[in-house]
């Protein structure tokens, strides 16, 4: 069992001391097709180069959206959903989406564009990549590790409860993405894909599924498999879940109610305290 939360730093397992891994740590490089060759997460000058953490009995959480770009398999899966076979396509990153009034609805992570023999747009689809927020200060163990990676790879780090914050990631990012961007794309009759790590997806309510040809949204679920030969983690497609827009949106935005009797008991306790104070 690991005594600290770090799994991958600057694209490599923290116990990988190959020349390539050490070069990436030394120069703060990103091997997963970032916009530039360097890691730019959190701060450009002092990037937080943590790609993946572990929590709760070695479960993994991908904490950087760029980590999903390994080998670009996320684009291939999305294109299979968006377009009929045989079409030529390309992709663009960070395309601004606007609502009817011209206000920004945010940037789409990837827009895949199919084009014809004359170079004209034939079709397009939008792909959003959802990593997870971290609860707790991950920068402290990261900086301690980076001060001497070989000596600190087996560090014991007990300060703070560092873990993925799936609830905030869903409420603050995933749900707004589906609601706002997905709503515009649905009105246009265009498809949307959402990339998630398997442990993030497992925290969502069970989504009502439809056949691929009936779907507005495809949820592309990925995991990380450790390769014993390369001694590195490989992004692997686990499953694709196909849904319609409205049922999926309703499912992820409708909370499961707790026990009302417990809530009433809490109110009664507060009421008893207040009445006792008034009598006193």
């Amino acid at each position: 069992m690991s005594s600290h939360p770090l799994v991958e730093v600057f694209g490599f397992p923290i116990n990988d001391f190959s020349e390539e891994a050490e070069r990436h740590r030394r120069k703060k490089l990103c091997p997963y097709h970032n916009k530039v060759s360097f890691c730019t997460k959190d701060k450009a000058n002092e990037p937080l180069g943590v790609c993946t953490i572990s929590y709760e009995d070695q479960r993994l959480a991908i904490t950087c959206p760029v980590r999903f770009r390994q080998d670009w398999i996320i684009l291939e899966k999305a294109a299979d959903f968006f377009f009929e076979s045989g079409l030529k396509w390309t992709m663009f990153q960070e395309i601004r989406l606007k609502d009817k009034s011209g206000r920004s609805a945010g940037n789409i992570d990837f827009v895949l564009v199919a084009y014809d023999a004359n170079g004209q747009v034939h079709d397009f689809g939008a792909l959003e990549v959802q990593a997870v927020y971290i609860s707790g200060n991950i920068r402290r163990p990261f900086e301690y590790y980076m001060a001497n990676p070989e000596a600190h790879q087996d560090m014991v780090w007990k300060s703070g409860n560092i873990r993925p914050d799936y609830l905030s990631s869903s409420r603050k990012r995933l749900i707004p993405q589906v609601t706002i961007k997905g709503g515009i794309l649905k009105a246009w009759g265009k498809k949307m894909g959402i990339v998630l790590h398997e442990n993030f997806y497992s925290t969502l309510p069970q989504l009502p599924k439809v056949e691929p040809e009936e779907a507005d949204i495809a949820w592309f679920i990925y995991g990380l498999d450790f390769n014993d030969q390369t001694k590195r983690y490989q992004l692997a497609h686990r499953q694709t879940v196909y849904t319609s827009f409205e049922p999926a949106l309703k499912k992820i935005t409708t909370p499961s109610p707790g026990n009302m009797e417990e809530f009433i008991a809490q109110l009664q306790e507060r009421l008893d305290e207040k009445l006792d104070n008034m009598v006193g």
Side-chain angles (χ1 to χ4, degrees):
M1 182 175 179
S2 177
S3 56
H4 60 80
L6 302 180
V7 175
E8 288 182 306
V9 168
F10 293 115
F12 292 83
I14 63 166
N15 59 355
D16 185 342
F17 298 103
S18 64
E19 181 179 347
E20 185 180 12
E22 291 191 335
R23 174 174 169 269
H24 276 71
R25 286 192 288 265
R26 184 172 63 253
K27 294 184 176 294
K28 303 174 183 177
L29 301 176
C30 173
Y32 298 123
H33 308 288
N34 195 17
K35 293 179 181 179
V36 294
S37 59
F38 300 97
C39 174
T40 54
K41 185 179 179 182
D42 193 32
K43 299 177 182 178
N45 294 330
E46 294 295 333
L48 179 62
V50 179
C51 313
T52 309
I53 66 170
S54 66
Y55 68 105
E56 292 180 0
D57 300 326
Q58 304 305 293
R59 299 180 72 187
L60 301 181
I62 295 178
T63 60
C64 178
V66 178
R67 179 63 182 85
F68 287 99
R69 301 181 187 183
Q70 185 178 16
D71 299 330
W72 285 122
I73 62 174
I74 61 171
L75 298 185
E76 296 175 16
K77 293 292 182 182
D80 290 342
F81 171 58
F82 294 153
F83 312 129
E84 61 264 30
S85 61
L87 287 178
K88 293 182 179 180
W89 59 271
T90 187
M91 73 86 174
F92 301 99
Q93 298 183 44
E94 298 295 330
I95 301 297
R96 180 65 56 86
L97 186 66
K98 296 182 179 180
D99 63 16
K100 186 177 181 179
S101 64
R103 293 176 298 188
S104 174
N107 289 347
I108 300 173
D109 291 337
F110 299 99
V111 176
L112 277 63
V113 177
Y115 57 95
D116 61 23
N118 297 317
Q120 299 298 302
V121 173
H122 173 75
D123 198 2
F124 69 88
L127 185 65
E128 289 290 315
V129 179
Q130 302 287 332
V132 65
Y133 297 137
I134 300 176
S135 175
N137 190 341
I138 192 66
R139 181 170 283 278
R140 290 181 62 198
F142 164 72
E143 291 181 346
Y144 181 76
Y145 166 78
M146 287 296 295
N148 192 335
E150 198 156 0
H152 296 166
Q153 61 177 307
D154 295 319
M155 63 180 168
V156 176
W157 194 269
K158 296 182 178 180
S159 177
N161 184 20
I162 299 172
R163 55 181 293 109
D165 187 349
Y166 292 119
L167 183 60
S168 293
S169 300
S170 295
R171 291 180 176 177
K172 295 180 180 179
R173 182 164 172 79
L174 177 60
I175 291 175
Q177 299 277 20
V178 176
T179 303
I180 300 172
K181 298 178 186 178
I184 293 174
L185 293 164
K186 170 64 176 176
W188 287 348
K190 296 302 178 183
K191 296 177 179 179
M192 182 181 194
I194 299 174
V195 173
L196 293 171
H197 184 246
E198 57 188 341
N199 289 333
F200 190 170
Y201 180 73
S202 69
T203 67
L204 301 179
Q206 187 171 356
L207 302 177
K209 300 178 183 179
V210 299
E211 294 299 317
E213 58 272 15
E214 300 172 357
D216 303 308
I217 302 176
W219 305 74
F220 300 103
I221 314 306
Y222 290 87
L224 290 174
D225 293 333
F226 188 75
N227 187 312
D228 290 327
Q229 292 184 331
T230 64
K231 304 300 181 184
R232 296 172 188 171
Y233 287 93
Q234 180 68 39
L235 189 71
H237 177 251
R238 298 287 194 242
Q239 63 171 321
T240 301
V241 177
Y242 300 98
T243 67
S244 296
F245 175 72
E246 286 87 359
L249 180 62
K250 182 178 180 181
K251 193 69 175 180
I252 64 174
T253 56
T254 303
S256 299
N259 189 310
M260 188 175 70
E261 296 303 320
E262 293 181 1
F263 184 73
I264 292 175
Q266 179 183 352
L267 294 177
Q268 187 64 56
E269 182 179 353
R270 296 289 294 273
L271 179 60
D272 291 343
E273 292 177 359
K274 189 169 188 177
L275 293 177
D276 288 344
N277 290 334
M278 290 175 62
V279 172

